[in-house]
Amino acid sequence: MMSFDLFASEIVDERISIGPGAYVLRGFALPYVTQLLPAIEAVEQQAPCRHMVTPGGFTMSVALTNCGRLGWTTDRRGYRYTETDPASGLPWPDMPPSFRSLAKEAATAAGFDHFEPDACLLNRYVPGAKMSLHQDKDEQDFSAPIVSVSLGMPAVFLFGGHARADKSQRIPLQHGDVVVWGGEDRLRFHGILPLKDQPHPLLGSQRINFTFRKAG
Ligand code: MD6
Ligand code: FE
C-alpha cells in the first residue's frame, strides 16, 4: 500500500525547468484541491471577483480578488497593493491555511526555502478571457519567488523574456499544475492566451489561477 502511494505521488510530482529559476510542478496542487475549493468559495463570499480597469482604461477580461494582508488592485490611477478591498473598504480576507501551506511547499520544491507570502491574487477566467503579456513588478521584494496555482480549464501560459518583444515559450497548464519562479526569472514577461471552452469536470467552464507573492 505504502509503495503504491509513493509511486502515484511520483507520477504527479513532475518538476519541469522552464528557466534558470522557473519550474512547472505538474499536478503539485492535486492533493490540496478538496481543501482549496471551499477556501476559494469563502474568500469570494467576503471579497467577490470583479473586473477591474487598467490605467489605460481597459476593463480586464479576467475577474479578480485577493486574500492575505495585501491585495493587488488596478484602476485609472495605476496598479498598487492595498490593505483593504476598495469595493468594501474592509481588509482583504485572511489567507486560508491550506493556501499558505501549498505555497510554501511548492516554493520549497522549486528550491526557494522560507517563502513567506503576504499577498494572494486570485484570477477567474471564462472562455475567451486572457492575460496580456506583463511583468509582475508592483512588489517591494523581488528576492522572493512567485507561486502560481492553476485549477479548472486548461490554459496556454506564455513565458517570455526580459523585454516585451522577446520570443515567448508556450506552456500548457492543467488543473493542479503549479508554476514557481524567482531569481533571475522573477521579472520575465508572461501572459495567458485566450481560453478555449474545454469544460472541466469539477469546475465547469472556468479557470481559477491564484498567485502568491511577497508584496510588502
Ligand atoms: C495566470 N498568471 O496564470 C496568470 N504572474 O492566470 C500570472 O500572471 C502570473 O502565473 C506571475 C507569476 C506566475 C503567474
Ligand atoms: Fe503575472
Side-chain angles (χ1 to χ4, degrees), residues 49-216:
C49 287
R50 78 295 304 258
H51 294 275
M52 290 186 180
V53 176
T54 65
F58 295 99
T59 299
M60 295 178 72
S61 60
V62 168
L64 65 87
T65 186
N66 294 274
C67 60
R69 190 175 69 80
L70 293 169
W72 185 88
T73 66
T74 175
D75 60 19
R76 288 307 300 249
R77 283 157 45 220
Y79 306 124
R80 62 195 168 278
Y81 281 93
T82 61
E83 292 187 353
T84 54
D85 178 349
S88 66
L90 298 172
W92 295 105
D94 287 338
M95 197 182 292
S98 57
F99 276 41
R100 188 177 295 279
S101 38
L102 168 56
K104 289 176 72 78
E105 295 281 325
T108 299
F112 299 98
D113 284 335
H114 314 297
F115 180 44
E116 292 292 345
D118 56 14
C120 176
L121 166 60
L122 192 150
N123 295 310
R124 178 188 295 280
Y125 294 72
V126 295
K130 66 178 170 67
M131 182 79 75
S132 304
L133 275 185
H134 66 278
Q135 291 171 295
D136 287 21
K137 57 178 185 188
D138 302 317
E139 298 74 26
Q140 305 271 338
D141 184 355
F142 296 143
S143 69
I146 293 184
V147 172
S148 167
V149 179
S150 293
L151 297 178
M153 293 207 296
V156 178
F157 183 64
L158 299 174
F159 193 43
H162 283 94
R164 185 178 293 278
D166 289 349
K167 200 171 158 45
S168 295
Q169 304 176 57
R170 291 179 172 217
I171 298 157
L173 294 180
Q174 309 276 347
H175 177 73
D177 289 349
V178 178
V179 182
V180 181
W181 80 64
E184 62 189 273
D185 290 326
R186 176 63 180 73
L187 290 173
R188 282 172 71 167
F189 278 87
H190 58 278
I192 293 281
L193 288 181
L195 244 72
K196 289 190 197 162
D197 193 3
Q198 299 173 280
H200 183 269
L202 267 184
L203 286 160
S205 287
Q206 58 173 337
R207 169 175 184 261
I208 296 172
N209 169 262
F210 40 106
T211 58
F212 297 90
R213 300 103 191 273
K214 176 94 180 70

Side-chain angles (χ1 to χ4, degrees), residues 7-48:
F7 182 58
S9 72
E10 275 166 11
I11 290 176
V12 297
D13 287 353
E14 194 184 354
R15 172 173 130 160
I16 300 158
S17 165
I18 56 170
Y23 300 91
V24 177
L25 310 176
R26 293 274 179 227
F28 193 91
L30 289 176
Y32 293 84
V33 169
T34 53
Q35 292 173 277
L36 297 177
L37 295 181
I40 290 168
E41 244 179 74
V43 166
E44 290 198 75
Q45 210 138 31
Q46 276 180 263

